[in-house]
Amino acid sequence: MLKVFDHPLIRHKLTIMRDKNTSSKDFRQNLNEIASLMVFEITRDFPVTIKQVDTPLCSCKGYELSRDIVIAPILRAGLGLVQGIQDLIPTAKIAHIGMYRDEKTLLPKPYFEKYPSNINDALVLIVDPMLATGGSSIAAIDRVKMQGAKDIRLVCLVGSPEGVEAVTRAHPDVDIYLAALDDHLNEHGYIVPGLGDAGDRIFGTK
Ligand SMILES: O=P(O)(O)OC[C@H]1O[C@H](OP(=O)(O)OP(=O)(O)O)[C@H](O)[C@@H]1O
Ligand SMILES: O=c1cc[nH]c(=O)[nH]1
Ligand SMILES: [Mg+2]
């Protein structure tokens, strides 16, 4: 399943992020805000258990999330989405998947990974602003599945049609959530129109 958000607030904030003149600070802020807006919808069907709660007036029916939630950013750029999601789900645990894309081959190069112990029973949100060729996302999903996770959602900001097709083919069981589905990849594997190199823009490394 592919879900592309068309909410006016998300469109407005993503436009700020696309602008090449936007500062690193504003880029990070808008990324976090979009992450919060997206997670509100992504979690809509998350299971809850019923519990009694005592208000100052009486006892009534309440609810609590019944599954553990793990946020799994693909380093580095995926880190830019974590705070916005954690703000809304403060009990979420964080996995780290270190991976960069080789500039020539465009293939993902893993360099680090660390997972919470309960990941096999958890709802896992793999997060990365950019879904370009799909190589990094596919490799990240492979790795999370190797840890035993069965319920995985992929949350990206901007995707390409090529990347969506590749992930869907490799992992048809993983739902994909995007703030925007862009036009195409250029000859360097960059998303067009896109927003450039998300990691560099978040961390000011260019
Ligand atoms: O879909 P793909 O073709 O695999 O490309 C997307 C990947 O490339 C970027 O990471 P990058 O390699 O620039 O690493 P960084 O986050 O450390 O900058 C981006 O954040 C994705 O992880
Ligand atoms: O457009 C792209 C493609 C890969 N990685 C990025 O950061 N941006
Ligand atoms: Mg980068």
Side-chain angles (χ1 to χ4, degrees), residues 29-119:
Q29 183 180 331
N30 281 280
L31 179 57
N32 270 315
E33 289 171 359
I34 293 175
S36 295
L37 291 167
M38 287 178 75
V39 84
F40 189 74
E41 266 309 306
I42 292 163
T43 55
R44 180 171 287 282
D45 64 343
F46 276 17
V48 288
T49 44
I50 293 171
K51 64 176 252 186
Q52 281 304 115
V53 59
D54 296 327
T55 78
L57 299 165
C58 66
S59 182
C60 73
K61 188 170 143 186
Y63 305 89
E64 66 184 355
L65 289 168
S66 56
R67 297 268 307 272
D68 283 334
I69 296 169
V70 172
I71 308 167
I74 303 177
L75 309 185
R76 293 171 302 163
L79 291 171
L81 290 150
V82 172
Q83 190 63 54
I85 299 176
Q86 225 180 2
D87 283 347
L88 295 197
I89 316 174
T91 52
K93 302 211 169 69
I94 313 295
H96 290 87
I97 306 171
M99 211 175 269
Y100 71 90
R101 191 174 74 156
D102 182 279
E103 281 180 16
K104 291 210 171 62
T105 65
L106 301 186
L107 294 174
K109 301 275 180 202
Y111 57 85
F112 179 79
E113 52 189 329
K114 183 82 182 169
Y115 301 97
S117 53
N118 66 340
I119 196 161

Side-chain angles (χ1 to χ4, degrees), residues 3 22 28-29 31 34 48 100 102 115 122 130 140 158 172 181 185 190 198 203 206:
K3 165 85 183 163
T22 293
R28 285 195 302 274
Q29 183 180 331
L31 179 57
I34 293 175
V48 288
Y100 71 90
D102 182 279
Y115 301 97
M130 309 309 279
V158 182
L181 180 61
L185 294 178
Y190 273 76
F203 295 107
K206 210 162 232 169

Side-chain angles (χ1 to χ4, degrees), residues 113-131:
E113 52 189 329
K114 183 82 182 169
Y115 301 97
S117 53
N118 66 340
I119 196 161
N120 47 331
D121 291 324
L123 286 156
V124 182
L125 302 177
I126 297 180
V127 301
D128 191 328
M130 309 309 279
L131 174 59

Side-chain angles (χ1 to χ4, degrees), residues 77 101 130-133 185 188-192 194-200:
R101 191 174 74 156
M130 309 309 279
L131 174 59
T133 66
L185 294 178
H188 306 294
Y190 273 76
I191 300 172
V192 181
L195 45 72
D197 189 306
D200 285 340

Side-chain angles (χ1 to χ4, degrees), residues 1-5 38 41-42 45 125 153-157 175-179:
M1 191 277 294
L2 169 68
K3 165 85 183 163
V4 182
F5 292 95
M38 287 178 75
E41 266 309 306
I42 292 163
D45 64 343
L125 302 177
R153 299 173 189 208
L154 177 65
V155 182
C156 300
L157 198 66
D175 290 341
I176 305 172
Y177 297 86
L178 298 176

